[in-house]
Amino acid sequence: EVTAEAVRPEGPFANDIVALDVSPDGTLWTATGTVEFGSSNTSGVSWLVPGEGWRTVRADDPDTGLPEREQFAITARPEGGALVGSAGGGLAVVTETGDVFPFDETNSTLRPAIGTSSFVVASAFAKEGDRWWVCNEGSPFPLHAFPGTESATAADWTALPSPPGAPTSFPVDEIVIDAFGQKWI
């Protein structure tokens, strides 16, 4: 009798990696876009801990708290863990132990894309001092600043409108901070 057995090599849970970053301690963080996994579509975050192996948090597991939208941006935090941006589910702080702390329009200044009621896009992050800048693509407030911690409350967030002279729907989807502290979007 011949039987089929699934073989999963050591690695992230899916190969549709859409973003990756490396933390100062050498941990490799990956965000996986929406992929068909069995009978459902899912996305997730995987990280390779040096000397320990891979860990994964999947969006289709309701116990994780990871937004059930495509994860497409990831930035490692110097203090550990990562910020993960999604296409419609806001952002999440994922700790190195796998705990997930989501942020969206209900507990931060992040806002839904114009014309939607709850489609919150967090597309990029940049650290400046003790705060993180977040691109909230499609929102009337496309830039936000917060401490980047899992314990942040709505009061810890600051929302900024589109830059002067830019249209209300200015598509802020990337941010880089130069050596002079200027934000390039």
Side-chain angles (χ1 to χ4, degrees):
E1 179 178 326
V2 177
T3 61
E5 184 178 325
V7 176
R8 292 193 49 169
E10 181 69 18
F13 89 100
N15 66 357
D16 185 24
I17 296 172
V18 294
L20 54 90
D21 198 12
V22 178
S23 65
D25 71 356
T27 301
L28 173 66
W29 289 85
T30 68
T32 306
T34 302
V35 294
E36 190 168 326
F37 198 80
S39 62
S40 67
N41 290 330
T42 190
S43 65
V45 174
S46 295
W47 59 104
L48 176 60
V49 179
E52 294 183 28
W54 286 93
R55 296 182 184 159
T56 296
V57 175
R58 290 177 43 176
D60 64 347
D61 180 350
D63 294 332
T64 68
L66 193 64
E68 291 188 49
R69 303 285 186 156
E70 179 178 2
Q71 316 305 312
F72 69 69
I74 193 160
T75 301
R77 300 183 310 163
E79 65 273 19
L83 298 180
V84 181
S86 73
L91 74 85
V93 175
V94 178
T95 68
E96 55 279 348
T97 60
D99 294 320
V100 177
F101 299 88
F103 292 94
D104 59 19
E105 75 281 5
T106 65
N107 63 350
S108 71
T109 58
L110 294 172
R111 290 293 159 252
I114 294 171
T116 71
S117 61
S118 62
F119 193 81
V120 179
V121 179
S123 59
F125 316 103
K127 185 166 178 55
E128 178 185 43
D130 62 352
R131 75 177 131 199
W132 284 87
W133 290 90
V134 179
C135 293
N136 186 191
E137 190 173 347
S139 161
F141 295 93
L143 283 176
H144 301 260
F146 88 118
T149 62
E150 53 271 17
S151 61
T153 67
D156 297 322
W157 286 74
T158 302
L160 298 171
S162 293
T168 307
S169 60
F170 188 67
V172 175
D173 62 353
E174 283 290 337
I175 182 168
V176 175
I177 302 172
D178 68 20
F180 301 105
Q182 298 177 102
K183 282 90 180 153
W184 295 87
I185 55 176

